[in-house]
């Protein structure tokens, strides 16, 4: 990859008529060419806080003292802001990602002589370097040694590459981190650009499973799939001794649902009126640079013999007829580790059937589009569900809410450790970050229309759990025995990864006590 120029001071650009100097970092991600503007003047000072009224505080990532940069005067502050294009204006090409004539992101750097007395701005002011203690150094402690950036090229609507080039890379550079192995500044990181669906898991098995005495941080520019790939690439967790270090993960939400990120930041979203506040990417960047690591709760999903990992549905044509390629050359799997959701029924079918290039270009709207098609069929899933509650040693049949009976067919069986599957889709309103409690959401054969009502209620802050058809409880473990004939209806979903179970096969889900990863949080 080619290198971006150093952010300061060679790319100053004066905004016409404004009382501040703004630096625009521009890069065409598709052609990987570099554009800069040579410095022609010293940034204009802002002498009063009124000038900062032009800035949107919700777009500010962090603020640096100018003495920490190459600003000629060395006075004042540099305010780094992320400007994002509206998702509706971004045209996606199925094969190449973002249209090369478009730029979905812009990084602005504003030089101000002083900051107003605003507690919110004060929280975004990063400490100066050198420092009087570890906690106030730059870069922050978790980014100082063995830092890896993973850029997932196929996540979401494929914005990870331009986000890295235009936004993240200059921000890391401003804090003294470079992806140059010959850097003399002492702080370096490595970049991995995904080539296929195995890249992240291979990275984890190669880099994170060995020499666990080293501190490591992985910054994921991806969706939930990146986290589950890391968890499963690491392999079976070793017995932790005092010398073992658990990798820390920073999430920049560039996937479709971004369930883990939204659930971890639910309290932060609640600070603002609906539709207001920082974007998810701004929050992700703030967390990356100012957050702290916390243990990520996980669960283990085990499968009966013959279960196979399934990729996105890719129909093939033979003799003019479309055939399903499921089951051809697929990898068997006996277990997966997850941190978000294990599901069977409508949710699993929805995740799998919406994972096509035609649907993916629509971002999180793809779920609604695929849901409409599934609800027309209104398939009821033939399965036996058993649960093990706290204090119990054996599985017992699940009693369906409303009917007070066991067995029958199901539309929805979902075990989760998080509150939200999308930013506004609250599947488990009682779930709290890092609580580590597995909860089960389920309902029987209620038909397509009622299923849609239940899903719509989940978008209203989780009101679906109050409906008489919906069961919702804390569990220690869940077992689903799948009795369907058609392979289409034998899919289960583990954090977005799809597994096909044989007829009569099963999935068991239980929460784990061991620590596999830490995750950065505000």
């Amino acid at each position: 990859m080619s290198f971006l120029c150093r952010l300061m001071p060679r790319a100053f650009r004066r905004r016409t008529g404004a009382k501040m100097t703004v630096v625009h970092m521009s890069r065409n991600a598709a052609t990987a060419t570099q554009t800069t503007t040579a410095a022609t003047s010293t940034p204009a000072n802002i002498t009063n806080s009124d000038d900062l009224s032009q800035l949107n505080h919700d777009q500010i990532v962090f603020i640096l003292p100018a003495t920490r940069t190459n600003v000629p005067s060395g006075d004042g502050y540099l305010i780094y802001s992320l400007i994002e294009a509206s998702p509706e204006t971004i045209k996606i090409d199925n094969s190449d990602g973002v249209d090369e004539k478009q730029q979905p992101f812009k990084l602005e750097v504003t030089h101000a002589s002083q900051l107003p007395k605003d507690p919110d701005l004060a929280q975004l002011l990063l400490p100066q370097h050198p420092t009087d203690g570890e906690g106030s150094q730059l870069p922050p402690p978790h980014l100082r040694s063995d830092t890896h950036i993973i850029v997932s090229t196929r996540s979401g609507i494929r914005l990870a590459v331009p986000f890295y080039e235009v936004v993240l890379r200059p921000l890391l550079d401003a804090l003294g981190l470079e992806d140059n192995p010959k850097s003399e500044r002492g702080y370096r990181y490595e970049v991995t650009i995904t080539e296929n669906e195995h890249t992240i898991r291979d990275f984890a098995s190669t880099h994170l499973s060995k020499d666990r005495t080293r501190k490591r941080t992985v910054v994921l520019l991806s969706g939930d799939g990146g986290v589950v790939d890391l968890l499963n690439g690491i392999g079976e967790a070793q017995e932790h001794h005092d010398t073992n270090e658990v990798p820390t993960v920073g999430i920049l939400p560039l996937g479709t649902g971004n369930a883990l990120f939204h659930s971890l930041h639910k309290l932060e979203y609640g600070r603002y009126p609906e539709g207001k506040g920082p974007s998810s990417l701004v929050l992700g960047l703030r967390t990356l640079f100012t957050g702290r690591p916390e243990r990520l709760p996980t669960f283990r999903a085990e499968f009966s013999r013959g279960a196979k990992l399934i990729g996105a549905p890719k129909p093939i044509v033979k003799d003019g007829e479309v055939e399903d390629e499921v089951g051809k050359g697929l990898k068997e799997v006996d277990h997966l580790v997850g941190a978000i959701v294990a599901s069977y029924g409508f949710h699993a079918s929805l995740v799998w059937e919406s994972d096509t290039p035609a649907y993916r270009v629509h971002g999180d709207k793809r779920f609604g589009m695929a849901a409409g098609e599934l609800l027309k069929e209104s398939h009821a899933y033939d399965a036996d569900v058993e649960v093990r509650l706290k204090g119990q040693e054996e599985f017992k049949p699940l009693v369906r809410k409303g009917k007070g009976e066991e067995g029958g067919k199901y539309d929805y069986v979902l075990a989760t450790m998080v509150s939200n599957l999308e930013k506004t889709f609250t599947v488990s309103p009682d779930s709290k970050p890092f609580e580590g409690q597995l909860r089960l959401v389920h309902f029987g054969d209620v038909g397509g229309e009622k299923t849609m009502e239940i899903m719509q209620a989940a978008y209203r802050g989780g009101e679906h759990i109050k409906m008489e058809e919906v069961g919702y409880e804390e569990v220690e473990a869940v077992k689903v025995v799948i009795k369907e004939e058609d392979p289409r209806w034998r899919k289960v979903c583990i954090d977005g990864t799809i597994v096909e179970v044989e007829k009569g096969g099963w999935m068991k889900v239980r929460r784990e006590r061991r620590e596999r990863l830490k995750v950065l949080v505000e």
Side-chain angles (χ1 to χ4, degrees), residues 377-484:
E377 296 188 56
S378 191
H379 181 78
Y381 298 76
D382 193 3
D384 293 330
V385 182
E386 298 178 330
V387 296
R388 181 164 58 82
L389 304 180
K390 188 174 183 179
Q392 295 180 347
E393 295 184 0
E394 302 292 333
F395 282 97
K396 295 183 179 180
L398 177 66
V399 176
R400 304 232 314 267
K401 185 178 177 182
K403 295 185 178 181
E405 61 184 29
E406 302 171 0
K409 293 187 176 183
Y410 290 84
D411 283 349
Y412 203 85
V413 181
L414 183 145
T416 184
M417 301 189 88
V418 302
S419 59
N420 286 57
L421 299 186
E422 301 172 32
K423 185 175 181 179
T424 59
F425 187 88
T426 307
V427 70
S428 178
D430 292 344
S431 295
K432 298 176 178 58
F434 309 110
E435 167 186 46
Q437 177 61 58
L438 198 62
R439 288 180 170 84
L440 183 66
V441 183
H442 58 92
F443 53 89
D445 178 11
V446 298
E449 185 175 343
K450 178 59 69 173
T451 297
M452 177 59 76
E453 290 181 24
I454 294 171
M455 296 297 99
Q456 290 172 340
Y459 280 105
R460 299 193 298 270
E463 292 184 1
H464 62 297
I465 66 168
K466 302 175 184 178
M467 300 175 70
E468 64 177 0
E469 297 87 359
V470 179
Y472 181 53
E473 53 253 299
E474 295 181 1
V475 297
E476 291 295 301
V478 181
K479 180 179 180 180
V480 181
V481 179
I482 299 170
K483 302 187 290 184
E484 290 281 353

Side-chain angles (χ1 to χ4, degrees), residues 246-500:
V246 176
T248 295
V249 176
I251 304 172
L252 295 175
L254 286 152
T256 303
N258 303 304
L260 180 58
F261 181 89
H262 293 315
S263 296
L264 294 177
H265 289 79
K266 185 176 181 178
L267 295 178
E268 186 69 17
Y269 291 139
R271 293 180 52 199
Y272 304 94
E274 185 175 355
K276 303 293 183 180
S279 71
S280 299
L281 286 172
V282 170
L283 282 180
L285 288 168
R286 290 179 181 179
T287 302
L288 175 62
F289 297 121
T290 65
R292 69 184 189 282
E294 292 285 350
R295 174 184 178 273
L296 177 65
T298 57
F299 62 81
R300 179 184 176 92
E302 298 176 343
F303 311 105
S304 55
R305 182 185 295 272
K308 298 179 178 66
L309 286 171
I310 302 292
K314 300 174 182 177
I316 58 177
V317 178
K318 182 179 180 180
D319 298 330
E321 297 293 329
V322 177
E323 293 187 353
D324 192 353
E325 69 173 355
V326 168
K328 299 183 180 180
L330 301 174
K331 181 180 178 181
E332 289 198 13
V333 59
D334 60 5
H335 79 278
L336 288 173
V337 178
I340 303 165
V341 62
S343 71
Y344 174 65
F346 179 76
H347 176 266
S349 295
L350 177 60
V351 172
W352 180 63
E353 299 201 3
S354 67
D355 191 18
T356 65
Y359 276 131
R360 273 194 167 273
V361 298
H362 299 285
D364 59 5
K365 294 183 177 61
R366 70 182 172 102
F367 296 126
M369 299 168 67
E373 296 301 315
L374 279 170
L375 291 174
K376 289 178 183 178
E377 296 188 56
S378 191
H379 181 78
Y381 298 76
D382 193 3
D384 293 330
V385 182
E386 298 178 330
V387 296
R388 181 164 58 82
L389 304 180
K390 188 174 183 179
Q392 295 180 347
E393 295 184 0
E394 302 292 333
F395 282 97
K396 295 183 179 180
L398 177 66
V399 176
R400 304 232 314 267
K401 185 178 177 182
K403 295 185 178 181
E405 61 184 29
E406 302 171 0
K409 293 187 176 183
Y410 290 84
D411 283 349
Y412 203 85
V413 181
L414 183 145
T416 184
M417 301 189 88
V418 302
S419 59
N420 286 57
L421 299 186
E422 301 172 32
K423 185 175 181 179
T424 59
F425 187 88
T426 307
V427 70
S428 178
D430 292 344
S431 295
K432 298 176 178 58
F434 309 110
E435 167 186 46
Q437 177 61 58
L438 198 62
R439 288 180 170 84
L440 183 66
V441 183
H442 58 92
F443 53 89
D445 178 11
V446 298
E449 185 175 343
K450 178 59 69 173
T451 297
M452 177 59 76
E453 290 181 24
I454 294 171
M455 296 297 99
Q456 290 172 340
Y459 280 105
R460 299 193 298 270
E463 292 184 1
H464 62 297
I465 66 168
K466 302 175 184 178
M467 300 175 70
E468 64 177 0
E469 297 87 359
V470 179
Y472 181 53
E473 53 253 299
E474 295 181 1
V475 297
E476 291 295 301
V478 181
K479 180 179 180 180
V480 181
V481 179
I482 299 170
K483 302 187 290 184
E484 290 281 353
E485 292 280 353
D486 189 342
R488 181 186 179 191
W489 310 118
R490 298 202 304 264
K491 306 294 190 295
V492 298
C493 172
I494 310 297
D495 291 5
T497 296
I498 301 299
V499 174
E500 182 183 299

Side-chain angles (χ1 to χ4, degrees), residues 11 20 82 203 221 227 275 288 305 496 519:
M20 62 184 76
L82 171 62
F203 165 87
L221 280 68
V227 179
L288 175 62
R305 182 185 295 272
V519 64

